[in-house]
Amino acid sequence: MEVTGLLGVSSKDHVIVRSRRYLINDQPVETAVSYIPAETARDTRIAQPDSGPGGIYAYGADAAPAGIRMSPVQVE
């Protein structure tokens, strides 16, 4: 399934992609990617190129008024 389908948005809608790399002893051990509908993230720090320390989880309360709900989905 495409990301847009999981998000419930049209394939024509803009989506913000946030990518993180986790390191142990300066070696990458995991990557994580978040997809947020641009309309949902508008006027939040999520839409900024550098959202600050802690990323979107650190300021979930900021994002809550925009209707953001964190739900991990594993796509194979």
Side-chain angles (χ1 to χ4, degrees), residues 8-53:
V9 298
S10 163
S11 62
K12 295 179 182 180
D13 290 331
H14 291 274
V15 174
I16 294 174
V17 180
R18 312 265 337 159
S19 180
R20 295 154 315 284
R21 183 176 58 173
Y22 298 94
L23 308 173
I24 295 178
N25 297 326
D26 293 324
Q27 297 296 313
V29 294
E30 180 180 357
T31 58
V33 180
S34 297
Y35 301 89
I36 304 101
E39 182 64 28
T40 301
R42 188 173 37 143
D43 299 327
T44 71
R45 288 189 286 173
I46 295 168
Q48 301 301 314
D50 181 359
S51 59

